[in-house]
Every structure is written in structure tokens, then in C-alpha cells.
Amino acid sequence: WLKLLFSLNTDDARLCARPEAAGMGTACMKVALDEAGEQFTKQLFKALNTPVAEDIEGDDSQGRVFVMTCCLDYKATENPLTCTIDGKNISILLDACQVPEENRVALTDEDCTKENVMAQLQAIGQQASDGDCFIFYYSGHGTNLKDYSGD
């Protein structure tokens, strides 16, 4: 497992992650620090820096990490975003955590079709095995849907 040390600087709105292992870089991301964002970021910082038992029963995995990011800017709409910047920040964090490039899939804008996402997920699933970890990161617009099932 890779242990990350987090730091929060509210003066310049940066949340940084630094792997505990020597010789590895630090990755920082700008964070939105309006009142709600600042409260969330402080809670996140506290949770991420709360020590946990080093020896968690059954937690001896040495698996690989696979990551898929989907970041959409919606440039051709009335509500464009800058989500590909989020994707670049995640890539910097993955570099700092030494996640191999061959274990990453980064999709942006028009590449984020249902067919392409499903094909990439299937390709990752064919490579992954017991003990591996998969991270899916999405940045873009969301929407509300009626809850028909009540879950």
C-alpha cells in the first residue's frame, strides 16, 4: 500500500498529497474554498490525516492500481466547464503515487461515449485480477433523476 500525507493550505487554496516514501514528488490541486468548500476540505483533510491501524486484518494486498478518468468540458454548450483541468490534476496525483501510465485510461469530452467507456472498462477488467484496485474518476455535469425504486 502507498501511504499519502496530505496538507491543506487555505491561503492559496491548495490540497497537496505527498507519498510517505522518500524520493517521490508532491501533487497539489487547487480547491474551491467558498464557505461550504472550505468546511468540506477541512473535514476531508482531517479524515485523510487520521491515523489508522497499520495492520488491518486481511489487508495484505500487493495488487496493482487501475484508474479511469472521464472529464467533460461541454465546450459546445451554454454551460461549458473546465473539468479537463481536474483530469490533469488527477494525472499529476497519479504520477506522484507512481501509478503506471499503462494502468490508466483518461477520456475527455467526445471520447466519453457510453460505448467507449464500456469498452475501456472491459479492457481494464480483462487485465485486473484478485487484489487489484480500480478507481473511477468523473468530472462533469450531473443531473437529477426520479427515484423509481425507492432505494
Side-chain angles (χ1 to χ4, degrees):
W1 289 98
L2 179 65
K3 185 175 181 182
L4 296 176
L5 306 174
F6 287 85
S7 61
L8 173 65
N9 185 334
T10 55
D11 294 332
D12 63 358
R14 291 185 314 146
L15 178 64
C16 297
R18 179 179 58 81
E20 187 176 50
M24 296 174 69
T26 299
C28 295
M29 295 190 305
K30 284 282 198 180
V31 292
L33 288 180
D34 58 11
E35 188 175 326
E38 184 171 352
Q39 183 64 28
F40 171 76
T41 305
K42 285 180 179 177
Q43 290 173 349
L44 175 64
F45 175 73
K46 181 179 178 184
L48 292 172
N49 284 286
T50 301
V52 295
E54 290 295 324
D55 186 23
I56 300 173
E57 188 175 330
D59 187 15
D60 57 357
S61 174
Q62 298 296 317
R64 298 168 296 167
V65 176
F66 294 90
V67 180
M68 176 187 280
T69 61
C70 293
C71 303
L72 295 95
D73 287 338
Y74 304 95
K75 296 174 196 162
T77 70
E78 294 178 16
N79 299 306
L81 300 173
T82 57
C83 295
T84 52
I85 294 172
D86 297 341
K88 289 175 186 174
N89 288 333
I90 291 296
S91 182
I92 291 167
L93 181 61
L94 295 173
D95 288 341
C97 295
Q98 297 183 333
V99 175
E101 289 281 339
E102 62 268 16
N103 291 8
R104 307 181 204 180
V105 174
L107 302 176
T108 59
D109 300 317
E110 288 78 21
D111 293 334
C112 293
T113 63
K114 176 182 177 182
E115 294 79 16
N116 199 18
V117 170
M118 295 300 289
Q120 295 297 330
L121 285 172
Q122 185 174 24
I124 291 170
Q126 290 173 349
Q127 297 176 56
S129 58
D130 286 345
D132 289 346
C133 176
F134 173 70
I135 299 168
F136 180 82
Y137 177 85
Y138 170 81
S139 184
H141 283 302
T143 189
N144 293 324
L145 298 174
K146 184 175 174 113
D147 182 4
Y148 291 102
S149 66
D151 62 353

